[in-house]
């Protein structure tokens, strides 16, 4: 971002979930149109076990990260927030990385989409539920 905006929004983006991503990006567009905000778009790639990762060429892993970053930049452009955002790709558990990014950037709010909970979510907890419990800031959960 070229300048510091009044409010910083964290936007976890799952580039594989078109409907959920559209909801988050549409909300970001509404916020951008009405407020002085900047955004951090975050996509978290799954952790690859170390015994598998050593067998994958590093350029393939880097290419996957670059493709995710390019997809997020494309989304930002489509929704007209490219001048107000930073695109970040990390590896790890999504809920942990989302909370960590909010802490590191001083986010004022996290906007996250939630799917309809499955039976396993009741026992294990969904990413959105975990973010709500552990986030250092407000969380807007979109359905």
């Amino acid at each position: 971002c070229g300048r510091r905006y009044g409010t910083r929004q964290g936007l976890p983006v799952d580039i594989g979930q078109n409907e959920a991503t559209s909801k988050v990006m549409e909300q970001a567009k509404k916020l951008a149109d009405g407020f002085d905000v900047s955004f951090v778009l975050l996509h978290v790639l799954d952790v690859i076990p170390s015994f598998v990762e050593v067998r994958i060429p590093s350029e393939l892993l880097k290419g996957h990260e670059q493709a995710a970053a390019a997809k997020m930049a494309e989304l930002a452009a489509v929704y007209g927030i490219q001048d107000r955002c930073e695109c970040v790709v990390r590896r790890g558990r999504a809920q942990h990385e989302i909370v960590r990014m909010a802490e590191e950037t001083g986010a004022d709010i996290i906007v996250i989409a939630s799917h309809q909970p499955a039976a396993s979510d009741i026992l294990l907890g969904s990413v959105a539920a975990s973010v709500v419990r552990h986030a250092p800031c407000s969380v807007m959960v979109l359905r």
Side-chain angles (χ1 to χ4, degrees):
C1 297
R3 71 180 180 97
R4 175 76 167 133
Y5 291 83
T7 303
R8 192 147 177 97
Q9 311 290 317
L11 302 171
V13 177
D14 184 345
I15 58 176
Q17 297 292 324
N18 292 335
E19 184 178 339
T21 297
S22 293
K23 288 178 184 178
V24 170
M25 296 303 293
E26 286 168 12
Q27 186 62 42
K29 177 66 173 152
K30 288 177 188 174
L31 290 167
D33 289 344
F35 300 98
D36 190 25
V37 297
S38 63
F39 304 94
V40 176
L41 275 71
L42 171 65
H43 180 70
V44 181
L45 298 169
D46 289 328
V47 175
I48 300 172
S50 59
F51 67 90
V52 174
E53 187 174 1
V54 297
R55 298 185 184 279
I56 299 173
S58 61
E59 56 275 354
L60 183 62
L61 293 173
K62 191 168 197 85
H64 193 215
E65 292 171 8
Q66 290 171 341
K71 178 64 176 174
M72 286 192 305
E74 178 184 317
L75 283 168
V78 166
Y79 287 92
I81 63 169
Q82 69 276 9
D83 295 335
R84 296 180 172 208
C85 74
E86 172 186 357
C87 298
V88 178
V89 177
R90 291 188 171 185
R91 284 202 184 272
R93 294 193 57 192
Q95 57 268 39
H96 298 248
E97 294 303 322
I98 293 167
V99 169
R100 186 173 296 127
M101 179 60 70
E103 292 169 346
E104 290 172 5
T105 62
D108 296 300
I109 188 169
I110 298 169
V111 180
I112 188 170
S114 177
H115 57 71
Q116 292 296 332
S120 63
D121 290 334
I122 294 168
L123 298 174
L124 302 174
S126 69
V127 171
S130 180
V131 169
V132 167
R133 283 192 301 273
H134 301 288
C137 59
S138 297
V139 180
M140 179 187 291
V141 180
L142 307 173
R143 286 209 173 247

